[in-house]
Amino acid sequence: MNGTVSNFHYGAVTPVTAYLMACLGSALGLRCTTRSLRRARPGRRAGWLLLGAVSLGCGIWTMHFIAMIGFGVAETPVDYDPERTMLSLAIAIVVVAVGVFLVGYRGAAPGNLAVAGVFTGLGVAAMHYVGMAALEMRGAVHYRTTEVVLSVVISVVAATAALWAAVSVRGAWPAFGASLVMAMAVTGMHYTGMAAVTVRLHEVSPTAQSSVGLMSFLLVMLAGPLVALLVAGVIVMFDPDVVLGDGPWNTPGTPASTPRHALARSPHTGGVSPQTGTRSPT
């Protein structure tokens, strides 16, 4: 006997919230990766890439499990295995980090972008299905092949587009638009994969699903990634480009010790040269 599967137990609340979290992760990932390409010091470049990978990976994983709050089977309670749930989070962060570091250090040449996109896309799909393997219920989850293949294709295309955007998109509004599209693709991948799900029941529970315990577990699991996204948001918000705006004090080759007021009056602006102290010609 097949169970009655629902992905929208709470209506539009879970898909909309999941999409917004994917937007946040995508936006932070784009911002951090863009900053890594404009930093003069290699040490900071690696740090920004790592922060971008953690932001994007946590955003994708958070989207998945917020969406899963709306998942239920009418005839059986649903629970999760904590170890497999945490494994899915680790997979999301690691595969995104590999892709981000590949394009961050080797660029978006077609061959490199294809390798990074395929690896990351397959990894994100693996995160989804490992997360699904964490489901515990009085039944077995089965998948229709067509939807599974389509979800993997969407994941690879979305990952490739995200990595390309991370090293190619410039400006606040283009980056914002790219994050919306990326989040739509990632959320679409999730719900395409969920459309493949059928549950073959072993037995029918005489009691209704208790959603309170399940939601408490998922909220505890979500706490860590949400804190990571909050920390990343604070770091990006207080980044000099955000506080001061783009300017010569953020360009590669500028000494970190050079005061902002001296750079603002550099020869590029017709002001006083910080090297000579003389006014340059206008």
Side-chain angles (χ1 to χ4, degrees):
M1 174 182 175
N2 287 339
T4 306
V5 176
S6 171
N7 288 297
F8 306 101
H9 182 73
Y10 299 100
V13 173
T14 48
V16 170
T17 306
Y19 174 73
L20 292 176
M21 293 309 301
C23 287
L24 176 61
S26 299
L28 289 173
L30 280 176
R31 181 63 181 176
C32 293
T33 308
T34 299
R35 292 301 303 125
S36 75
L37 301 177
R38 302 181 63 187
R39 288 287 178 186
R41 286 173 282 186
R44 286 199 174 184
R45 186 178 196 185
W48 280 107
L49 287 173
L50 181 60
L51 186 62
V54 170
S55 300
L56 192 52
C58 286
I60 292 171
W61 188 88
T62 303
M63 176 279 302
H64 171 81
F65 276 95
I66 287 178
M68 289 305 295
I69 291 175
F71 174 80
V73 182
E75 296 82 2
T76 176
V78 176
D79 206 345
Y80 287 86
D81 175 71
E83 288 77 16
R84 290 182 181 178
T85 302
M86 295 307 297
L87 175 61
S88 68
L89 173 60
I91 290 172
I93 294 174
V94 169
V95 298
V96 170
V98 171
V100 166
F101 272 80
L102 277 174
V103 298
Y105 279 99
R106 302 184 62 182
N112 186 60
L113 183 62
V115 171
V118 169
F119 180 86
T120 304
L122 293 177
V124 170
M127 175 278 297
H128 174 87
Y129 290 106
V130 169
M132 291 299 295
L135 284 169
E136 295 178 341
M137 64 183 79
R138 298 188 181 109
V141 176
H142 297 270
Y143 298 95
R144 290 185 291 271
T145 304
T146 301
E147 287 91 338
V148 170
V149 171
L150 181 57
S151 71
V152 174
V153 170
I154 293 173
S155 181
V156 170
V157 172
T160 304
L163 294 173
W164 173 84
V167 296
S168 304
V169 173
R170 296 290 183 271
W173 286 111
F176 176 72
S179 67
L180 296 181
V181 174
M182 288 161 54
M184 183 66 71
V186 171
T187 308
M189 176 268 165
H190 171 85
Y191 283 105
T192 300
M194 295 307 296
V197 171
T198 58
V199 176
R200 193 76 50 82
L201 295 170
H202 301 322
E203 59 178 299
V204 178
S205 173
T207 58
Q209 165 77 34
S210 174
S211 61
V212 176
L214 176 60
M215 185 177 294
S216 298
F217 168 78
L218 290 177
L219 290 176
V220 169
M221 290 290 101
L222 289 167
L226 287 173
V227 169
L229 289 171
L230 176 62
V231 171
V234 170
I235 292 173
V236 168
M237 184 167 54
F238 287 99
D239 175 56
D241 268 3
V242 177
V243 177
L244 304 177
D246 289 329
W249 51 87
N250 288 313
T251 56
T254 299
S257 60
T258 305
R260 180 193 171 193
H261 68 83
L263 284 165
R265 300 176 61 183
S266 70
H268 298 289
T269 60
V272 176
S273 168
Q275 286 80 23
T276 65
T278 59
R279 180 172 298 278
S280 58
T282 56

